[in-house]
Amino acid sequence: MIVKILRKSSTFKAVNYNTGKVDKNKGELLLVKNFGVLQGIENLRPQDYINYLEAVSSSNTRIKYPQFHVAISTKGRQHSKEELSDIAQKWMEGMGYGGQPYILIFHKDTNNNHVHLVSTRVGRDGKKISDRFEKLRAYRVLDQIMGVGEQQVLKNHLEEALSYNFSTHAQFMMLLETMGYSLDLTDKAYTISKNGHQIGSIDLSKIDNKIADRIKDTVRVKQIRAIFEKYRSIYDTSVNNSEHGYNSSFADFLRKKFGLEIVFHGKNGMPPYGYTLMDHSKYAVYRGSEIMALNDIITGKPNQSNKSQKEQTQTHILPNLRDSQDEAKKESHEEIQSEHWQNKWDNILPVETPTPEHAPPELEIVVPVLNINISDDIDDEAILGRNRRRKRKARTNTR
């Protein structure tokens, strides 16, 4: 479950954005609360809600950005619109907005059920609703509602990360980073933080023991190489470098189809110098060089002639992808894997990106940033030298 306080605004354009979803049958207005006499009037216009919110906000002209716009999202369809409505109302109460006028809209046009709330930061008494440590309190209130403490959540995530086979500290850190945590190295442990505050730690000895017990699955490596070889001639492998990090059509396909997540390593907007592969379906992490050279998976758009050739000779590749089962059964199994692993590591669940003509300026999309030191990674050391390790600089994907 994710809660996101969206960008502040001096107007209440989020009302139009959300009611627009309803008009297009992409959303449903679930609740109109504390709007006084307006709640007894039928066929209200969006401007009616805006006028009421502006009237309440006008009692304190010192508040430059009175709009309060929030999205609460669940993973997939784990929670229904009724459950999300109940959670959202309790959350507003816990955040001090229970007596405020607000509208609650369910969005149904993405893969993850979510609701939006629009209210004003100005209270009935003319005072501003407290925003002290707001983002931190947002998750604490949500955890209390869900009955899940952050310590228990961290314990579960640590157990899951330690269930993977990995060969370096950097790879373990990367697993935790994809879950939304940040790690800092001390003498004998990693301290673990989330949402700006420390919530736990893990002894280095546990990580060292896991690394020492690692057994490389050579059969699986051959399977992954065969998958790479087959699909790199079909999907565009050129890497896009944007503010959200590195990505490619090829990498996106592998993550959704097979649970194979490529994490490119680079810095300062330069092309990637290496990559790490997370095999979420088999709980393993590999250095890129163990699978395929970087240049072989960032060569650009697929060659159509090569694609035809691959289709003609795929019978020589596919035996590595299955044991003794026929192709149809194997492809069916891969589809099941795709459904199971598609959103496994989306720690921050996406809220849909509105089209430019309808998107209010207050919406923002936050992408987790991986900031990991991979100084003990052999590939990184071979390319950039020991000086970078001495400087203890982070060298991983910035997305």
Side-chain angles (χ1 to χ4, degrees):
M1 186 74 70
I2 297 298
V3 56
K4 173 60 182 175
I5 299 174
L6 300 172
R7 185 176 299 173
K8 58 187 179 181
S9 173
S10 60
T11 66
F12 292 92
K13 292 182 180 180
V15 173
N16 284 323
Y17 166 67
N18 285 283
T19 55
K21 289 282 186 178
V22 178
D23 294 339
K24 296 176 182 179
N25 197 31
K26 295 181 179 181
E28 183 177 344
L29 181 61
L30 298 183
L31 179 67
V32 177
K33 191 169 184 179
N34 301 326
F35 275 84
V37 295
L38 287 184
Q39 295 181 210
I41 303 176
E42 296 182 357
N43 301 321
L44 288 174
R45 303 166 303 163
Q47 189 62 42
D48 296 324
Y49 299 121
I50 293 175
N51 291 341
Y52 192 93
L53 292 170
E54 287 179 342
V56 174
S57 304
S58 65
S59 62
N60 190 334
T61 58
R62 292 175 298 175
I63 298 178
K64 187 176 180 180
Y65 304 105
Q67 178 177 274
F68 184 64
H69 187 194
V70 178
I72 299 178
S73 178
T74 187
K75 186 174 183 179
R77 311 300 182 196
Q78 287 185 359
H79 295 84
S80 66
K81 65 181 180 181
E82 292 81 11
E83 291 172 327
L84 285 173
S85 175
D86 182 61
I87 291 169
Q89 293 177 64
K90 292 178 179 177
W91 185 86
M92 289 290 278
E93 189 73 34
M95 292 293 291
Y97 285 84
Q100 292 292 93
Y102 66 88
I103 60 174
L104 172 61
I105 302 93
F106 172 70
H107 288 202
K108 55 184 179 181
D109 58 342
T110 68
N111 294 329
N112 301 298
N113 284 349
H114 63 281
V115 294
H116 282 239
L117 298 134
V118 184
S119 184
T120 173
R121 293 182 175 276
V122 181
R124 299 284 187 177
D125 57 359
K127 297 180 180 180
K128 182 179 181 180
I129 305 296
S130 176
D131 61 352
R132 184 175 176 80
F133 303 113
E134 184 175 65
K135 294 182 179 180
L136 182 60
R137 287 193 297 116
Y139 273 97
R140 287 180 175 174
V141 171
L142 185 61
D143 287 343
Q144 291 173 0
I145 295 171
M146 302 304 297
V148 180
E150 59 185 13
Q151 295 294 330
Q152 183 60 45
V153 173
L154 174 61
K155 179 181 178 181
N156 294 340
H157 283 160
L158 283 174
E159 289 177 356
E160 188 156 21
L162 289 171
S163 70
Y164 277 68
N165 283 319
F166 50 84
S167 58
T168 68
H169 284 206
Q171 291 176 357
F172 174 78
M173 292 176 67
M174 197 175 302
L175 287 169
L176 268 293
E177 292 279 356
T178 60
M179 299 177 191
Y181 299 98
S182 60
L183 287 79
D184 293 304
L185 179 63
T186 61
D187 291 338
K188 297 182 179 180
Y190 280 112
T191 58
I192 304 173
S193 302
K194 191 170 187 178
N195 300 322
H197 72 291
Q198 183 178 331
I199 58 176
S201 63
I202 182 171
D203 292 341
L204 290 179
S205 59
K206 291 185 178 181
I207 304 173
D208 292 335
N209 291 338
K210 185 65 180 181
I211 293 174
D213 293 338
R214 189 226 189 190
I215 299 177
K216 183 178 177 180
D217 188 344
T218 56
V219 174
R220 179 58 177 169
V221 169
K222 291 179 180 178
Q223 291 176 345
I224 296 174
R225 286 173 183 165
I227 292 172
F228 273 43
E229 185 65 31
K230 175 181 178 180
Y231 291 105
R232 73 189 179 105
S233 62
I234 299 175
Y235 289 88
D236 187 356
T237 59
S238 57
V239 176
N240 301 314
N241 183 10
S242 68
E243 59 180 330
H244 305 314
Y246 299 99
N247 198 13
S248 70
S249 298
F250 174 67
D252 188 56
F253 167 78
L254 293 180
R255 179 182 62 82
K256 293 179 179 179
K257 176 74 173 179
F258 299 104
L260 298 173
E261 182 176 359
I262 297 177
V263 180
F264 293 103
H265 306 309
K267 61 174 294 185
N268 298 333
M270 300 296 291
Y273 59 78
Y275 72 98
T276 296
L277 180 72
M278 296 184 183
D279 182 5
H280 298 308
S281 63
K282 297 296 182 180
Y283 295 92
V285 185
Y286 300 95
R287 290 190 296 271
S289 61
E290 295 180 279
I291 306 299
M292 185 174 288
L294 175 66
N295 287 339
D296 291 338
I297 64 166
I298 59 171
T299 52
K301 295 183 178 180
N303 185 309
Q304 294 301 320
S305 60
N306 286 345
K307 178 179 178 181
S308 299
Q309 183 179 3
K310 284 298 177 185
E311 291 172 345
Q312 295 172 6
T313 61
Q314 62 180 335
T315 55
H316 298 292
I317 299 174
L318 288 176
N320 292 325
L321 301 179
R322 57 185 182 269
D323 298 326
S324 60
Q325 301 176 352
D326 60 27
E327 181 177 347
K329 291 182 179 179
K330 181 60 183 180
E331 289 296 322
S332 174
H333 175 69
E334 292 171 352
E335 289 293 340
I336 293 173
Q337 278 191 341
S338 171
E339 290 294 325
H340 181 69
W341 293 105
Q342 180 172 356
N343 291 317
K344 178 174 178 61
W345 294 101
D346 294 338
N347 185 63
I348 295 184
L349 302 176
V351 175
E352 80 285 358
T353 306
T355 56
E357 60 270 25
H358 298 295
E362 63 271 22
L363 286 174
E364 67 176 4
I365 300 174
V366 176
V367 177
V369 177
L370 299 182
N371 184 18
I372 307 167
N373 188 319
I374 59 170
S375 59
D376 54 355
D377 189 294
I378 296 176
D379 293 342
D380 181 65
E381 178 70 15
I383 294 173
L384 297 182
R386 298 179 179 174
N387 288 338
R388 298 188 61 174
R389 182 174 62 184
R390 289 199 295 267
K391 295 179 181 179
R392 301 183 65 82
K393 291 185 177 179
R395 297 182 296 286
T396 189
N397 191 353
T398 57
R399 66 181 177 87

